[in-house]
Amino acid sequence: MSSSDTPPSLYAAREPVFPRRVSGFFRSLKWWIMAFTLGIYYLTPWIRWDRGPEMPDQAVLVDLASRRFFFFWIEIWPHEFYFVAGLLIMAGLGLFLFTSALGRVWCGYACPQTVWTDLFILVERWIEGDRNARVRLWNAKWSLHKARLRITKWIVWALIGLATGGAWVFYFTDAPTLLVNLVQGTAHPIAYSTMFILTATTFFFGGIAREQVCIYACPWPRIQAAMMDEDTITIGYRDWRGEPRGKLRKGETGPAQGDCIDCMACVNVCPMGIDIRNGQQMECITCGLCIDACDDMMAKIGKPRGLVDYLALKDEVDERAHRKHAPIMKHIFRPRTILYTALWSVIGFALVFALFIRPEIDMTVAPVRNPTYIVQSDGTVRNVYDVRLRNKQGEPRPFGLSLNIGTNLSIHVEGVDGTLVIVPADEMKQVRVYVDAPKGSPESTTDRSPFTFWVTDLNNQDRASVGTIFNGRTN
Amino acid sequence: MSKKPEKKEVGTTGHSWDGIEELNNPLPRWWVWIFYITIVWGIWYTIAYPAWPLLKGATEGYLGYSTRAEVAADIAAVDAKNADLVGRLEAADLNALSGDAELYQFAINGGRAVFAANCSQCHGSGAAGAKGYPNLLDNDWLWGGMIEDIAFTVTNGIRNEHSPDARWTEMPAFGELLSKEEIAAVVEHVRAISGQEADAALAAAGETVYLDNCAACHGDVGEGLRDMGAPTLNDAIWLYGGDVATLTETVTNARFGVMPAWSDAYHPAGGLSAAEINAVAAYVHQLGGGE
């Protein structure tokens, strides 16, 4: 048993992190990815896509009211939700693949938490200055100057948050109409409340909570360890090259001193506020900014780059033994990543295949089993079926229902003289269909007789069929 | 990989398993505050909303919120929204109802609910009926299958004491009027005209008995008579059964099927309004057998 004498504090205050500006390859890469991902997020709802006069012309639209998902030329109905499920599985497997190959590359470059935090830090730097100025401002007493900078920053953050929440609601209804309604104050309260909540969460997560979300709130950092092994590329510090570290003084560089000059550049730029020289740790999102910072410093003191670098655990063993470590591709292509890629591709191909063989006519037949059959006064035995016809096109379509040939059964539709059903554009229509077996026919006295419903689009003669069962009278 | 040095030494909880100790790391400040806020919220919630159980019921809550009142308000809102349709349905010409697509759909949907709540106990949830309770899905109607006939039957019922307009006829119990042999013969005759297996000699003898006693209501060839509610005997549908034993019992003791008058004119507490009766008539009419 060991416990401290004084009871420990119940809480730990956040230690503020003031990441310094850095430039380099990975920083540029992050800027480009930020511009690309934010561009997709903010601009997608504004892309138009012509689907005909009765259909929405927004390229990407989650139409909750009429239960449709539009994605450019693809339209997903609720019964095709497996496409969405498949995409989610692909997203999961893709995450596994990238994590096992490149470590927390999602966290470092593409996670919305990282991207928005990066954007918020950028704003902070524009308004309050770089690291040293921000530390000074943090420690300064409240003054008019501090208040002006803080309030300006908060306003810009809130505007970014507002744009984030605004873009979100545009995905759910026609964006230009909604924008006009939002400005006029006539939009649905749910649009306003959603925007308010997303503005508040963006402000809080990007401006205040930042790295704490990754450390305390997100489950993903803890799960990722299960996907990483000694071939996974993570960020490492070559301590066999850098240690013993020490300040660089002219003419005092002893032969025993390592390359690390303890300039703290890698620590100062870290958005997670950690020291990468302590080794790989839970907080590290492998964003690569410390590599940029260290490479910059190594260039200035005339040492080779890569004291802090993307490394696999295996590389450390090789380098310590003065062997050449395996090329990065050797790390990436290994059974585990190949398996993830294969699974990912199989699901992807299956989804694309399913998308292409989707029928233009969609019919489902539900036999009414309450009761299983009805006897008419002339001895005819009747079965009833609920038939759903889906019209996935942008104009009304006339459908004719019929049965397979070679059967004694006859068919008619409730409320209609014949078997013609007109289904409005982009809608599902359910009709009750009566199928009669004349008295004395085999179907009328057989327990189960299979037969087939055919539906024909009378405009273009497209056909589809569904098999079902006729229940005769056996007593 | 080197271990991250602790800035401040953290105590342990004293728990140790195989030498692995549980560190007593403090929680982040914001987490602790949220924890405190939830406690305050919880207390406020029990004051504002119904919460604490008492011997009878529970505390009502400062805000006076009640799910029951909310449901009542929702129902009132729906009723107000449907008031126009209900008014139109009440005054509708039933024969022309299917021409008004909106009203017709409203009637069928409402009729489905009325049927499930009031009619399905006897006629079955699928309206297939049971012995003595007519099947409403077929094309055989005792009193008429036009939508107005159905509405009249629902309004006034059959053979009841409540409505003076109830459909009312009564089959005599022929056990007191005919001999056992005559009843056996007429049963065979009825089986013969309905296309079932029958003793030809007995059936021929039964024809005279039938024409003398039954044809007045059931017709010369068993075609039935709607004005009398007399079932058609020469078809495949039987309300009580077409086998010899059931037919013999029917002829001997007669049948007396009763249906309540559903109009709220006769049952002010639990009856159906005119609009509800029109709705359920429209629903039953479109189940497949309507005329």
Side-chain angles (χ1 to χ4, degrees):
Chain A
M1 282 268 303
S2 68
S3 62
S4 39
D5 298 333
T6 50
S9 167
L10 276 179
Y11 60 80
R14 174 185 180 232
E15 293 188 17
V17 181
F18 305 96
R20 192 166 62 76
R21 205 178 87 85
V22 64
S23 58
F25 175 77
F26 295 108
R27 180 64 265 183
S28 304
L29 186 61
K30 268 170 74 78
W31 288 136
W32 281 111
I33 291 174
M34 180 201 282
F36 182 67
T37 50
L38 288 180
I40 290 176
Y41 176 73
Y42 286 115
L43 298 180
T44 304
W46 298 93
I47 305 171
R48 301 288 104 185
W49 192 267
D50 184 22
R51 294 188 184 87
E54 295 185 42
M55 308 281 279
D57 65 347
Q58 187 157 319
V60 178
L61 178 66
V62 183
D63 190 347
L64 293 177
S66 48
R67 300 187 188 85
R68 297 284 183 278
F69 172 56
F70 297 99
F71 185 83
F72 294 92
W73 64 96
I74 301 170
E75 181 185 345
I76 303 285
W77 287 47
H79 70 288
E80 294 166 323
F81 195 76
Y82 53 82
F83 282 112
V84 180
L87 282 176
L88 288 175
I89 294 170
M90 282 177 75
L93 282 174
L95 215 45
F96 297 170
L97 168 64
F98 274 94
T99 303
S100 69
L102 300 172
R104 294 179 61 179
V105 65
W106 164 261
C107 302
Y109 292 85
C111 175
Q113 174 64 29
T114 294
V115 170
W116 261 279
T117 301
D118 229 13
L119 183 64
F120 274 49
I121 292 175
L122 180 68
V123 168
E124 192 170 74
R125 187 183 303 134
W126 277 342
I127 292 167
E128 296 181 348
D130 206 354
R131 176 180 159 84
N132 294 344
R134 299 213 299 279
V135 174
R136 270 201 306 279
L137 192 67
W138 176 272
N139 291 325
K141 285 215 169 58
W142 277 96
S143 66
L144 210 60
H145 174 70
K146 181 167 176 173
R148 184 175 61 79
L149 292 180
R150 278 287 145 90
I151 290 169
T152 314
K153 178 177 81 172
W154 289 336
I155 289 173
V156 177
W157 281 357
L159 288 176
I160 295 173
L162 191 65
T164 308
W168 179 262
V169 295
F170 289 147
Y171 281 88
F172 294 87
T173 185
D174 185 59
T177 317
L178 180 61
L179 181 63
V180 172
N181 290 345
L182 283 172
V183 173
Q184 289 174 340
T186 55
H188 196 281
I190 287 180
Y192 289 111
S193 54
T194 307
M195 283 177 67
F196 175 77
I197 290 168
L198 282 173
T199 304
T201 50
T202 309
F203 189 97
F204 178 74
F205 287 136
I208 295 161
R210 290 189 182 169
E211 80 286 347
Q212 304 230 67
V213 174
C214 313
I215 299 171
Y216 295 110
C218 183
W220 187 229
R222 325 245 164 183
I223 301 169
Q224 282 178 115
M227 278 142 232
M228 293 162 71
D229 54 31
E230 62 272 26
D231 274 314
T232 302
I233 309 292
T234 59
I235 293 192
Y237 163 63
R238 292 188 160 99
D239 61 358
W240 54 96
R241 186 185 132 190
E243 300 296 325
R245 68 185 79 159
K247 289 271 182 263
L248 183 67
R249 293 187 186 82
K250 270 206 172 85
E252 284 182 30
T253 320
Q257 184 156 339
D259 282 357
C260 177
I261 56 169
D262 211 7
C263 65
M264 303 298 277
C266 57
V267 178
N268 290 343
V269 300
C270 181
M272 305 302 290
I274 57 168
D275 187 344
I276 193 64
R277 294 170 301 174
N278 293 330
Q280 197 37 244
Q281 47 210 289
M282 211 274 294
E283 290 87 346
C284 177
I285 59 171
T286 70
C287 63
L289 296 187
C290 48
I291 303 178
D292 281 343
C294 189
D295 284 354
D296 198 34
M297 196 52 68
M298 288 295 117
K300 278 182 187 149
I301 63 168
K303 294 270 170 63
R305 69 161 295 281
L307 182 57
V308 178
D309 207 355
Y310 275 109
L311 286 174
L313 279 182
K314 260 186 187 167
D315 296 345
E316 182 182 344
V317 181
D318 287 337
E319 287 198 8
R320 278 185 194 280
H322 301 288
R323 285 194 302 266
K324 214 172 137 47
H325 65 71
I328 197 157
M329 285 302 159
K330 267 239 163 96
H331 288 307
I332 290 174
F333 289 101
R334 59 185 199 274
R336 186 177 194 145
T337 56
I338 291 168
L339 180 70
Y340 282 139
T341 312
L343 282 174
W344 189 85
S345 314
V346 164
I347 295 171
F349 277 121
L351 286 183
V352 171
F353 185 70
L355 198 61
F356 275 104
I357 63 159
R358 271 203 310 183
E360 277 288 294
I361 306 178
D362 201 88
M363 171 170 64
T364 53
V365 174
V368 175
R369 290 293 180 242
N370 178 21
T372 48
Y373 64 85
I374 301 154
V375 180
Q376 301 286 54
S377 52
D378 64 355
T380 301
V381 176
R382 166 174 289 184
N383 276 201
V384 184
Y385 301 85
D386 283 330
V387 175
R388 287 186 180 84
L389 294 166
R390 294 188 184 89
N391 176 9
K392 296 184 184 177
Q393 292 179 353
E395 64 224 30
R397 291 162 85 189
F399 290 115
L401 281 167
S402 56
L403 304 177
N404 55 306
I405 50 170
T407 172
N408 299 307
L409 303 172
S410 62
I411 175 175
H412 77 275
V413 178
E414 166 62 33
V416 181
D417 268 343
T419 61
L420 173 70
V421 182
I422 294 168
V423 185
D426 198 48
E427 278 187 26
M428 188 274 285
K429 187 167 182 175
Q430 179 175 324
V431 290
R432 192 162 351 107
V433 176
Y434 304 116
V435 175
D436 291 336
K439 186 182 184 184
S441 62
E443 287 88 347
S444 74
T445 54
T446 311
D447 189 13
R448 292 163 61 81
S449 315
F451 72 99
T452 307
F453 272 110
W454 282 94
V455 59
T456 309
D457 181 343
L458 300 178
N459 283 344
N460 58 13
Q461 303 302 317
D462 274 353
R463 276 154 65 88
S465 69
V466 171
T468 184
I469 295 290
F470 186 91
N471 292 117
R473 178 190 195 180
T474 49
N475 56 346
Chain B
M1 289 286 160
S2 53
K3 193 176 165 294
K4 181 185 179 184
E6 298 294 336
K7 291 189 192 99
K8 300 165 283 216
E9 272 312 317
V10 182
T12 71
T13 59
H15 301 159
S16 171
W17 294 273
D18 297 341
I20 299 170
E21 290 190 315
E22 185 181 8
L23 291 180
N24 194 9
N25 271 311
L27 291 158
R29 195 195 289 263
W30 59 265
W31 196 100
V32 177
W33 274 110
I34 289 173
F35 177 62
Y36 291 147
I37 290 168
T38 55
I39 293 172
V40 174
W41 172 273
I43 294 168
W44 172 83
Y45 194 92
T46 63
I47 296 168
Y49 286 94
W52 297 105
L54 305 173
L55 283 177
K56 260 185 112 176
T59 54
E60 283 187 1
Y62 180 70
L63 297 178
Y65 173 81
S66 142
T67 47
R68 191 177 288 268
E70 192 171 66
V71 170
D74 285 352
I75 292 173
V78 172
D79 283 347
K81 206 172 148 194
N82 285 338
D84 170 54
L85 280 166
V86 170
R88 275 160 64 196
L89 185 58
E90 199 168 333
D93 170 12
L94 289 179
N95 288 327
L97 191 59
S98 62
D100 183 342
E102 185 198 15
L103 189 59
Y104 189 52
Q105 196 57 50
F106 178 73
I108 290 172
N109 290 343
R112 182 179 292 118
V114 172
F115 187 90
N118 299 285
C119 315
S120 61
Q121 290 85 344
C122 293
H123 290 284
S125 59
K131 183 175 177 179
Y133 301 102
N135 184 334
L136 304 175
L137 304 170
D138 60 31
N139 57 356
D140 183 45
W141 296 91
L142 295 170
W143 299 94
M146 304 277 285
I147 192 164
E148 284 185 325
D149 298 331
I150 298 170
F152 185 88
T153 304
V154 175
T155 306
N156 298 295
I158 292 165
R159 299 185 190 97
N160 63 61
E161 308 282 351
H162 300 290
S163 167
D165 295 324
R167 301 185 187 276
W168 192 297
T169 55
E170 194 171 345
M171 176 172 168
F174 284 94
E176 297 160 11
L177 305 170
L178 300 174
S179 68
K180 285 223 163 97
E181 292 71 29
E182 287 173 312
I183 289 174
V186 82
V187 164
E188 287 304 315
H189 176 69
V190 168
R191 282 182 61 83
I193 60 174
S194 60
Q196 303 187 79
E197 281 175 35
D199 184 316
L202 262 180
E207 185 170 10
T208 325
V209 183
Y210 178 86
L211 290 172
D212 287 349
N213 296 283
C214 316
C217 292
H218 290 286
D220 287 348
V221 292
E223 70 272 27
L225 184 61
R226 287 217 176 142
D227 287 343
M228 305 294 290
T232 310
L233 300 179
N234 61 357
D235 66 6
I237 294 172
W238 297 99
L239 184 52
Y240 291 89
D243 56 297
V244 174
T246 310
L247 283 173
T248 306
E249 196 197 330
T250 303
V251 175
T252 308
N253 299 319
R255 303 285 183 181
F256 193 79
V258 175
M259 171 172 162
W262 283 98
S263 169
D264 54 12
Y266 309 115
H267 299 285
L272 302 178
S273 70
E276 286 171 323
I277 288 172
N278 285 351
V280 78
Y283 171 72
V284 169
H285 183 261
Q286 56 84 57
L287 285 174
E291 292 173 341

